[in-house]
Every structure is written in structure tokens, then in C-alpha cells.
Amino acid sequence: MKFRNILYAIVLVVASCTPKQDVHVIPEPLEMKVGKSYVSLSEVQLIYRNDDSLPNEAYKISVRRNKIVVKASSDNGFLYARQTLDQLTDEAGRVPCVEIYDAPRFAYRGMHLDVARHFFGVDQVKKYLDIMAIHKMNTFHWHLTDDQGWRVEIKRYPKLTEFGSMRKETAIGKGWYDVKYDGIPHGGYYTQEEIREIVAYAASKGITVIPEIDVPAHMLAAVASYPELCCTGKQHDVWGRWGVSPEILCAGKEESFEFLENVLMEIMELFPSEYIHIGGDECPKTRWAECPLCQARMKELGIADDEKALVNLQAYVTNRVETFLAQHGKRIIGWDEILEGNISQSATIMSWRGTDGGIAAAKAGHDVIMTPNTHCYLDYYQSRRIQDEPFAIGGFVNVEKVYSFEPYTPEMTPEQRAHILGVQANLWTEYIKTPEHLEYMLLPRMSALSEVQWCAPEKKDYGRFLDKMSSMVKIYQKLGYNFARHIFEVQPVIGVDVENACPQVRLTTQGDAPMYYTLDGSEPTESSTLYTEPVSVRDGEVFKAIVVREDIPTHVYSQSFTRHKAMGKAITMNTEPSELYAAGLPQSLVNGVLNEDQDAAAGEWMAWRGKPVEVVIDMNGESYSTLSVRTFVSKWEDMYAPLGLEAYVSEDGQTFEPLAAEEYPIEEETVPDGIKKYDLEFPETSARYLKVVVKTVPALPEWSERTGKPAYLFLDEIKVE
Ligand SMILES: [Zn+2]
């Protein structure tokens, strides 16, 4: 009978001992031994033991023929064991026989969500917590208040939500400068009942919720609701634009502290967390400088009238709030700006402007949470092809960049390392309005983050992580999460082939899906050349490539090149670029790729900050008479034109003679921004080594928002003809 034969075949498959091909767990367990056979989850006994000898959050799983034993010493340990078992379970409900011992590297494994710039309701916040839970994360940093909205009900101050939770309209486009608005009101807040519901829901997933009430800046929604709290006492609207409002809490008025203490009393009742985040970032102090009450406060405190006076006034606010919270058994976390003032060592520092603040804080004895924008800002673009991306704030943090983050530096002592509590990624929502977009920014970068938080460096392996993503996306799909697909596309790196003096394209993609390419401008298909090794692109050729997958649709990648005499030449770089914009350097300066996109995140813009750019190109027998550099200027983003361009030549690469030089005045505010080209012409030479120096603006001018800070200089290519 046919039917019986089919049934017999199914039984055989279930009972077979064929090893499952992929045993994929993200984040990678500390120790995992995989056996050859399987058990069906529905047929075995699941035994849970509390084993107090295990560290907090650690767990053991032992899958045997007739039983699965799970051991842990904490609720979180059991929850993580359950997550691991879920990931090990295949479509037939089977689990491989494994022995696992697993424990996290860091005690603090966080995700941040800004609900002030755009509001997300209770259900979406719960979904966010679910996504954290599958990645074994344990801390949710909830950014509840800002210039653009107050999102938590405070019974004593009803206007905070009646008035402060709504804005009339929201900026269109970048929305920091020369702002246009959409005319659509936006708002929302959580009632105290809803907050309690979310805190309880998070606790059921092993997640602590840390609320952030940003003090003393990012406070416009509050001072718009209660104008007497700001220095001028004037009425303002809740902001619909981005950036930081100068209207901050007055540090001279006692009412400000009374307000903060009353708000924090209700916050402490809502959030059982040991920590309260008090912000402290990006505090414009122009109002304080003009306010008689703030000036009187400084006098009363004996704050010296020097250039640090206003910073010390902020430190006074921070310390006073900390003392109040400490009286109630709470500890503070603040952004790394609070280090600028004289603050108490018991404050925990969240390092966001790179890792320098975190390193300095650990040296000074503070506890530290690393959230550097270089690796952990998930509002940044995750692809250089920004024309295909939803609009973002800028920057570039792809999955690999997140994965590569290592919070310890080689110089850190064991004591300093012990101060690094953990790692967190931040999601600011100026440009994120929908749940789909929110999830797109989170996944799969959060999966990469989970290995940074959970795994010791020697247990990390980006190639293996990518392989495991084939299983992880099935979980995303099953749970209905939207996710970005870049890792499943062709991932190009454009270097140079020095021997043939031309660009060379290296491709990678997730798994072993085949990639095909063409050089004659035709669209690549499965009958084009199979990619097996880096491809050198000769004069006049256009490189196009595609990866072919059954389950995920993909796009054609296309790149053309601008030929010149330095293209593909050996190049060395003598000055350090900005870490955020350094991809592919220094070869990317001579790979023939020019940008048309006027966005720092796009294509191959590379940046230096404050220091001159200095590179040496081995011209290798070429004769040449022109040097040109292309830069992208956007002054409100501190991206300036060069102050000078210099060329030097040498035959031995050691002693250089000046060849040509030009100086440029610093650009005035009124000069239009954009992509600009600077040329130097000189008598034809065939000197072997050409040194190029591009001078940057060391200090932003008076009229800038950040006077005195170093400017960025962006370059895409150094052309020699
Ligand atoms: Zn004041």
C-alpha cells in the first residue's frame, strides 16, 4: 500500500540518527558539545534544577536520549536555557543531543530606545523587549523625555503629558537647520499603569528597565509645560525639529530642583531598577550664562569665574540629583559629557562619543557602559548605498562593524576592565516613525551585538556568525520581525591591484550562495562569470554583480570607476583618519570611486578631524602635472573645506622637496555647501613619490554652533593627472 509506505518512510526519518546539519545558537554558547542523535521535545522529560553552584545568569543543558536536564541558579539562567533550546529545536520539533555550559561575558547587556522623538506604543515596546529576550539581553534603557516630547505620566505635573507629550508638527528631511515642517501633530505617552505593565512584562523576560529623564538639557517638553522652570520664564512650544534646544532647566531656581525631585519620586515608584539614567548630554549653556539666578548660584557655590564655570554648574546639578537619588537607594548613569565636570565617582558613565570617555571614566574609577556611536548607534546607516535606504541621521555602522566591537583596550588594567559593566546599542528615533522601520534598524545588527555582549573575544567568529544567520532569519520570519537584508546581498570592498594599477573588487556574502559578475556593462545572471576571487577592473570596464538565493530576493550591485594616474598606485597614510569614516583607507583614496551623494554616510567619503591629511603615493614612473582632491562641505555638520593643499616630491620616499602649495581662506557661513574640487597645477614631473597634504580647519569659527572644536574634512579621491 502506497500510504503505508509513506508512513513507514516518515517514521524512519524521525528515528534516524543523521546529525542535523546546522547547530546554530546566537549568541554563541561558551561551551557546546553536539552529539550525533536527536530527541523529540514532545517525547522527553524536561527537568529543571536549581543549581546554586552556577554563576548568576549561567545555565547548563544536557540533552540525553530520554530526558533534558536544565540547570541554573537564577530565573535568567532558566530563561536563557529556554532560548537556547528554542534555537536548537528544528522544524520537526527535535533537539540534538548536546551538552552546554553557558554564561555571559558582561553582566550589563543593554538596548536603548528613544520614544521621545517618535512615540511607540505599549505593544511595540513589548515587541522590542521580545527581540531583546531572544538575544539574552537583560537591560532596557528607555529614553522617555526630550525636547520633542515628554512620554511618562507624572501625577503631580499633569501638564507634562497634557501639553508636553504633543508637538504641533515634525521636521521634514534632516530637520536640524533651515527646517521645514510636515504640519502633522505627533504625540503620545504612557500612563503609569502602562509603565507598570511594561516593567512587569520586561521582568518576565529577565529584563530590567532603566528610565532616562534627561537633565538639565533636552528638557524643552518640560519647560514648555512649566515655563517657570527655564531661565527666561518665557513660553515655548515643544520642538518639532531636531538638535538640542537652548531652553534648559534653570540651575539658579530652587523650583527646578523641587520639580526634579518630585518627578524622580514618581519615577522611582514606577521603576524598581537600581539605576536611574539622568542624561546630562549635549547641554547648551547660553541661557545660564545670561541668567542672573544662575550667576547668583555660581557665586553662592564659589564656582570660579573661568571657562569651566558653566560646566561646573552642570556638575552641581548632576551631583545634587545624584545625592537625592542615593538617599533613596538609587544610583545614576549619565552620558559621558558629565565627566567634564567634577562629579562623584559613584556615577556610572555611558560612553557614546566613541570609547574615549569610557576609557577615561574607567581610569578615574567610574563604572562604565560602552555605547560608542562608532559601533553601537543603530540609527546610523547600515549600507553605503544610501539611495536604497530609508532616510537616516547619517553615519555608517553595518553588521560587521557592530560585530567587531571590543570594549576592552590593550592598555586597560584588570581593575579598569572590571569597571566595564557591559555594552549597549542605542536607537534614536528622529527619522524612525513606524514599527517596520524600527525593526529594520534593529535586525540583524542586534544579533551581532548579542555576541559582543555575551561572548569572550576568542569565542567570536564573524564568518561563523554569518553562517548562523541563515537559522536566525527563520526565527525573525517566524516571529514576524522585519529585518535588513544587506548581509544576504553582495558585499563589496574596493581595493586596488597595484601590479596592474587598477581597482580591485572583493565580494563577500552570507553563506555559500553563488555570486556572478560582468565587466561589459550587461546585467549579471546565473550564466555570467562565477565569482571565485577578487576581480581587477581594467580601463573602461564597469563591474556588476549579483548573489543568487532561493529564499531572499537580491539586487544587482554596479560600480564604475574614474581613471587617473594615481589610481591603483601604492599609497601610505601618515595621519589618522576619523574612526567613523575610515573604511578601506588608504587604498580607497586611489581606487577611482567618486561620490555623487551629498551625505557623509554615502559611498566612500572618508574623513579627518582637526589634523591635516597626509599621504604618500608611489607614482611608479608616471609623469604628472595636476593634483586634485574632492571634498564634501556641510558646515552645519562641522564638515568644512580645506585650508590648504600642498604637494611634495621625492625620489627615495625620505627627503621631500616642495612642489606646489595653495592656501584657502576659511569658508564663510554664506558660501553654499556641496561637493567641491581643489586643484594644484605644476610643471610636469615624474618624481617617484608624491606627498599630498590637505590642511583641515583646526577650530570651528565664532559663528559656528561648536566654536573652537576641530572641523571634519571629507575626501573621496586624490586624483593625479
Ligand atoms: Zn537660570
Side-chain angles (χ1 to χ4, degrees), residues 85-105:
L85 275 175
D86 284 351
Q87 289 193 27
L88 289 171
T89 308
D90 68 10
E91 279 157 14
R94 303 175 315 159
V95 180
C97 290
V98 288
E99 296 288 330
I100 292 176
Y101 171 66
D102 200 7
R105 178 186 184 193

Side-chain angles (χ1 to χ4, degrees), residues 162-219:
E162 280 165 20
F163 185 83
S165 72
M166 285 302 293
R167 58 176 183 252
K168 280 193 296 205
E169 51 193 355
T170 300
I172 297 169
K174 281 237 167 175
W176 295 65
Y177 184 76
D178 193 15
V179 182
K180 293 182 182 65
Y181 291 95
D182 63 3
I184 304 167
H186 178 86
Y189 69 91
Y190 310 98
T191 63
Q192 293 203 347
E193 202 177 325
E194 287 171 330
I195 296 271
R196 286 200 180 89
E197 182 187 333
I198 287 170
V199 169
Y201 185 81
S204 76
K205 306 259 165 186
I207 297 168
T208 301
V209 184
I210 296 181
E212 180 183 355
I213 305 295
D214 208 332
V215 177
H218 292 271
M219 259 287 170

